[in-house]
Every structure is written in C-alpha cells, then in structure tokens.
Amino acid sequence: MTDTENGDCKLTKEVGRFVKSHIIPKSLTRPNISGNKFIEKKVTNRGPFYGKASDSWYDPNIVTQKGEDILAYLDTLAIEELRGLGLVWSSHLFKANSAKQLNSLRLVKFQRPKLIRKYFLSLLWRAAVTKISAFSEVNLNAKNIELLRQIMLVRRKIIELFFQLAWFSYLQKVIQSI
C-alpha cells in the first residue's frame, strides 16, 4: 500500500486514504548535525542489515488524515511541555543546562502528567501497530493494542499501572578532536 491508497485507519477504524505518519515525531529525531543521515535497522527475509535514512521512521499505512490529526495534536502538546522542561534536544534549556546536569539527577514535575503519559503510550501503540522492521521487536497482544487505541481516543481512562513509564536522559560530554 502507498499513501494514496485507502484502507482502515488503525486508530479511528474508519476507512479513508492513508497518510504518512511518523512513529516517533520528527521534532524528536533530527540528526544532531544538519544533513546527516540516521542509521536504521531493516529486517528482510535475508536477515537484518543497517541502512541510512534521511528522516525519522514513518509509516504510510497506519492512519488516515483524521487519525494523523489526533496523533499530531497529542504530539504537539506533549513535545511543547517536554521542550519547556528542557527534556528535548532542541530545547534551549536542554542546551543551556546539559553541562551543569552531567552526572546528576533532576526531578521533573510535569504540568500535564496525564497528557505526557498518554503521549508515551501513543508512541508504544505506533511502534506496536507498524510493520516497519525497525520496530519488529515491539510485540503487544491485540487486547493491549486495542486498550492503547481506546486511551488515545479518550474512550478509556489511563490505567496508572498499565505500561509504567520512567524517563532517563543520559548526557555525555562530547570531546571533539581537531
């Protein structure tokens, strides 16, 4: 299938034209140097190999525009909060504080913890439903995939003990030799 074909949206369950949908939002996966490529694991019937990709992972066979709008809205709100707390590479706070926070622990209080939890659960759902080989090791049963889908559509409350989350950010000083 290509992004011009119709199918069942895995999020809304409505039939429509598929659109390109990022598994991990593009704003979180930019190369650290403009123009660089990503190393991407690909699995074929001949086995795994690594190739280069110019963009983060996306799947043109998961959602229709309505589904993508739901994911994009959730991504935008969550990334805005993550960036505001300095937890995203592109955040000015991340860049300013990274040297001070090397080998330290910082407690972060989210303004919208349920939104952040829902966002990370949406990333898990995307990784579970895609057929992209790089995510082939993410395996959830149909019941859990459906529960995640319902949570994203606000048809189910977020269950606090369901797929507990922890955030670790490892910082390293990069020593550049000249």
Side-chain angles (χ1 to χ4, degrees), residues 20-24 55-60 130 132:
K20 178 179 170 179
S21 180
H22 279 88
I23 307 302
I24 301 171
D55 201 346
S56 62
W57 299 281
Y58 69 89
D59 190 329
T130 186
I132 295 173

Side-chain angles (χ1 to χ4, degrees), residues 116-126 148 151-152 158-159 162-165:
I116 298 299
R117 181 157 173 69
K118 186 175 179 179
Y119 167 71
F120 282 108
L121 291 175
S122 83
L123 295 179
L124 177 61
W125 177 84
R126 296 175 223 200
L148 289 170
I151 288 170
M152 282 184 287
I158 296 175
I159 301 166
F162 180 67
F163 292 114
Q164 293 186 18
L165 302 170

Side-chain angles (χ1 to χ4, degrees), residues 2-147:
T2 66
D3 62 346
T4 59
E5 293 186 29
N6 287 343
D8 292 329
C9 178
K10 291 180 178 158
L11 182 57
T12 66
K13 298 292 187 187
E14 297 173 2
V15 175
R17 186 176 67 81
F18 284 114
V19 297
K20 178 179 170 179
S21 180
H22 279 88
I23 307 302
I24 301 171
K26 199 172 181 177
S27 63
L28 297 180
T29 56
R30 289 186 193 125
N32 58 350
I33 299 173
S34 182
N36 276 4
K37 303 275 186 194
F38 292 104
I39 302 297
E40 184 173 277
K41 179 182 177 184
K42 299 183 183 221
V43 180
T44 67
N45 54 2
R46 292 183 285 166
F49 72 95
Y50 293 88
K52 292 183 179 180
S54 59
D55 201 346
S56 62
W57 299 281
Y58 69 89
D59 190 329
N61 301 314
I62 293 180
V63 294
T64 59
Q65 188 61 56
K66 184 175 180 181
E68 177 60 16
D69 290 346
I70 292 168
L71 295 175
Y73 178 73
L74 182 57
D75 291 349
T76 300
L77 293 177
I79 292 169
E80 183 179 286
E81 180 156 355
L82 293 171
R83 188 173 283 126
L85 290 167
L87 298 174
V88 177
W89 297 86
S90 61
S91 166
H92 69 282
L93 289 174
F94 183 90
K95 293 171 186 172
N97 294 330
S98 62
K100 290 186 269 181
Q101 294 175 1
L102 195 61
N103 300 321
S104 66
L105 184 63
R106 178 171 68 125
L107 182 62
V108 175
K109 182 171 174 119
F110 292 111
Q111 297 298 310
R112 300 167 78 179
K114 288 183 180 180
L115 168 78
I116 298 299
R117 181 157 173 69
K118 186 175 179 179
Y119 167 71
F120 282 108
L121 291 175
S122 83
L123 295 179
L124 177 61
W125 177 84
R126 296 175 223 200
V129 299
T130 186
K131 300 296 184 218
I132 295 173
S133 61
F135 294 93
S136 63
E137 295 180 20
V138 179
N139 296 303
L140 298 179
N141 64 37
K143 180 182 175 186
N144 285 335
I145 289 172
E146 178 59 18
L147 182 55

